[in-house]
Structures are given as C-alpha cells and as structure tokens.
Amino acid sequence: MAFPERVELVEVGPRDGLQNEALTLPAAVKVALIERLAEAGCPVVETGAFVSPKWVPQMADTAEVLAGLKRKAGVRYPVLVPNEKGLERALAAGVEEIAVFAAASESFSQRNINCSIAESLERFAPVAERAKAAGMRLRGYVSCVLGCPYEGAVPPAKVVEVSLALERLGCEEISLGDTIGVGTPQKAQDMLTAVAGELPMARLAVHFHDTYGQALANILACLELGVGTVDAAVAGLGGCPYARGASGNVASEDVVYMLDGLGIDCGIDLAKLAEAGRFICEALGRPSASKVALALAGRTP
Ligand code: HMG
Ligand code: MG
C-alpha cells in the first residue's frame, strides 16, 4: 500500500454543490467562483450541468456561466450531461469534457434520471459516441457505490458491473460516488479494491459526500490503495437533490490540507482556495462546512 505522489483534485462545488443549495445564484457569481477556483490552482472545475431545468433549476444557467467564463489555460471545465439533448447544449457551449452519470442502485437511477440503470446506459451510448467523435473527454459517474437512500446497502459487484459498462461506453475516468455519505473506510476500500480488480486504479476517482463525517477518513483509506483522483467541493457545498438528507461533498479545503500534510502534491494554493470558499459562502449567506476554512479564518464551528 502506497500513497500516490500526486493527487488530482476535481473541484465539483460549482455543480454538485450549487445544484442543491436553496438559493440559486446569478450566473455572474458562479463565474466569479469558478475563476477563483481556477486561480487557486484547481486543475479541473466542474462548471455546471446540462440537465433538465425542471429537474434541477439551479443548473439552468450553465450555458450562460460558460459564456461568461474566462477560461484559464490548462484548466478543464467539465459539465454533466444526461442525454443527447444535454450533449447538444454542451456542444453549442464549446464544452470539451462531459460527464455522464449512472447509479449502482435501480431506485436511485429512477429518482435521479427517471429510468432504469440499463436504460440509462442505452441513453448514454449515443451521447458517448457523439462526444468522442467531437473530441470530448468523457467521465462516468457511478452513484450510490456505498449505499442507496431507497435500497440500503449496495453490493460492490454491482458497482463493478456499472463501472465496466461505463468504461465500455468510452469513459476515460470513472468516479465512484458515495452519494449519501454513508460509507466507512473499510467498506470504501473493499468497494475500490473490487473495481480496481477490473479497471486500472489510474482511471478511478473517488467522490465522497460527508453526511456522516466519514469522507476524509474514506479518502485517506482510498489514497492508501493508490487512488490518484479525488472529487471535492469548496466549503463542502451542496448535497444531491434526489438523495434526501445527503449533505455536501467533502470540503476541498479539508482535502488539500490533508494532502499537504501527507506531502502529496495537488498544485492547489490552500489560502486562495479558502478565499474562494469565503466568497461563495458570503454569496449564499451560509457558513462554510470546511473545518479547515473555519480554522484558517480564526473561527471554530
Ligand atoms: P425526463 O422527464 O424523463 O425526460 O427526465 P424527458 O426526456 O421526458 O424530458 C422532460 C423535459 O425536460 C422536456 O421538456 C425536455 O425537453 C426537457 P418539456 O418538453 O416538458 O418542456 N429536457 C431537457 N432540457 C434541457 N436539457 C436536457 C434535457 N433533457 C430533457 N438535457 C432527465 C430525464 C434525465 C432529463 C432528468 O431526469 C434530469 O435532467 N435529471 C438530472 C438530475 C440531476 O441532475 N441530478 C443531480 C446530478 S447526479 C449527482 O449529483 C450524483 C453525482 O454527484 C455523483 C454522486 O454523488 O454519486 C454525479
Ligand atoms: Mg455528488
């Protein structure tokens, strides 16, 4: 077991975070957040989602956000796409990277994207084909890898099956999502070990929500197995609109602080990242969910 030398942090706050905040922010504020995150050194900032605005109104202005963004050279700005309509919107907005999202639980798939897992994979096939033909990079998410809000425990074998299906569709990277944040370190390792038995670790990412306060411990457990890509949201924003009670992603500031302490390079300036977190918390009128951000600001939770 060895930690990776470098970790790529995928900043998902502007999408996974803001999709579930009660307050829908103006596009200009989202742009300012994304630019601050890029300036802090985030190599990948998930910028929005071309999903149905009826389902997730908070993401309705993704095209406007992308149009207003000064893109920083070397930074990737992926967006979520659930179907061909979403892909067309992404192509029109000049997006270079998209993520499709499936689930390891049937009930969650139905609630989140209104179809079965098999139907979602069928729906993604033409999306993936067209995205590849347009030269886009493709990421695949698997949700509910450690538990489902409707079905409870999810077997690692199901996570492996859906991950492989996404890989066959052409996803370069598979992000394994503990959507409702119920996982614990041993379970996280067992699930990651099962998937890494079938796919190279270098193509896997971990995505933990922090509902039960286990996210950082789970990430550490997965780093021990050598995972090199970690999703996180600045200030621990958000949750998931189709997973009641799920809290935000692990806070990016907390992950970066831990990586710094472990001597693992991620290229992100913690002070600038925390500043981006302060900016967005002020805009939302809510406190940060990052303990590191609070400590740096001289406050305790
Ligand atoms: P549906 O209602 O079955 O779809 O929703 P539909 O094809 O019947 O379309 C319904 C209406 O939406 C139509 O409009 C479509 O045109 C429109 P109407 O004719 O009624 O006026 N529509 C769209 N509009 C804009 N962009 C589109 C689009 N597609 C349809 N792309 C659908 C199916 C998949 C569209 C819907 O369920 C949906 O958008 N779901 C997205 C839900 C979502 O965004 N969830 C959060 C992201 S996943 C997540 O957070 C987990 C993750 O973080 C990892 C983890 O934590 O595990 C990734
Ligand atoms: Mg998520």
Side-chain angles (χ1 to χ4, degrees):
M1 291 210 246
F3 289 133
E5 274 175 30
R6 265 193 73 82
V7 157
E8 181 173 82
L9 187 139
V10 175
E11 171 56 54
V12 296
R15 192 281 303 173
D16 205 351
L18 297 184
Q19 78 183 6
N20 200 41
E21 291 291 337
L23 193 67
T24 299
L25 298 171
V29 175
K30 296 182 182 178
V31 168
L33 170 65
I34 295 161
E35 290 181 352
R36 278 170 166 80
L37 292 166
E39 216 34 63
C42 294
V44 188
V45 186
E46 202 171 65
T47 296
F50 286 117
V51 296
S52 166
K54 287 186 189 140
W55 285 64
V56 186
Q58 292 93 329
M59 292 291 112
D61 61 357
T62 293
E64 201 186 326
V65 171
L66 283 159
L69 199 60
K70 273 192 228 69
R71 297 183 202 196
K72 189 168 182 243
V75 176
R76 288 157 36 208
Y77 299 95
V79 298
L80 251 55
V81 162
N83 54 19
E84 286 194 86
K85 180 157 187 169
L87 178 70
E88 271 146 30
R89 293 173 66 203
L91 287 167
V95 165
E96 290 171 354
E97 176 170 347
I98 61 165
V100 293
F101 47 108
S105 132
E106 284 296 348
S107 318
F108 186 79
S109 184
Q110 287 292 350
R111 309 279 173 113
N112 193 37
I113 49 177
N114 207 21
C115 64
S116 69
I117 299 169
E119 283 162 348
S120 75
L121 295 167
E122 271 169 39
R123 197 182 272 177
F124 296 151
V127 173
E129 203 175 307
R130 290 176 60 191
K132 289 272 157 190
M136 285 174 163
R137 190 177 189 274
L138 186 61
R139 171 181 242 220
Y141 278 101
V142 185
S143 287
C144 297
V145 298
L146 293 170
C148 165
Y150 314 105
E151 294 179 17
V154 169
K158 191 68 195 175
V159 182
V160 173
E161 184 191 315
V162 178
S163 300
L164 284 173
L166 289 172
E167 194 267 340
R168 279 193 295 272
L169 287 180
C171 294
E172 281 100 328
E173 182 173 278
I174 311 290
S175 176
L176 302 164
D178 182 11
T179 317
I180 53 170
V182 289
T184 45
Q186 186 63 59
K187 286 182 179 153
Q189 284 196 336
D190 292 347
M191 180 277 300
L192 182 61
T193 301
V195 182
E198 302 291 333
L199 288 168
M201 189 66 90
R203 292 182 55 188
L204 304 179
V206 290
H207 178 111
F208 289 105
H209 287 258
D210 201 29
T211 320
Y212 287 82
Q214 303 294 300
L216 216 47
N218 292 338
I219 290 170
L220 184 63
C222 292
L223 289 173
E224 278 175 6
L225 296 183
V227 82
T229 306
V230 175
D231 298 357
V234 70
L237 297 175
C240 176
Y242 298 100
R244 191 183 294 279
S247 69
N249 294 81
V250 66
S252 308
E253 297 92 320
D254 297 5
V255 175
V256 171
Y257 181 83
M258 182 174 78
L259 293 174
D260 285 351
L262 289 167
I264 300 175
D265 182 26
C266 71
I268 297 175
D269 180 319
L270 180 56
K272 287 187 182 168
L273 180 65
E275 168 48 32
R278 269 196 298 281
F279 167 78
I280 197 63
C281 286
E282 209 171 288
L284 288 165
R286 57 159 276 185
S288 179
S290 162
K291 289 214 165 179
V292 167
L294 293 173
L296 291 176
R299 293 199 302 267
T300 46

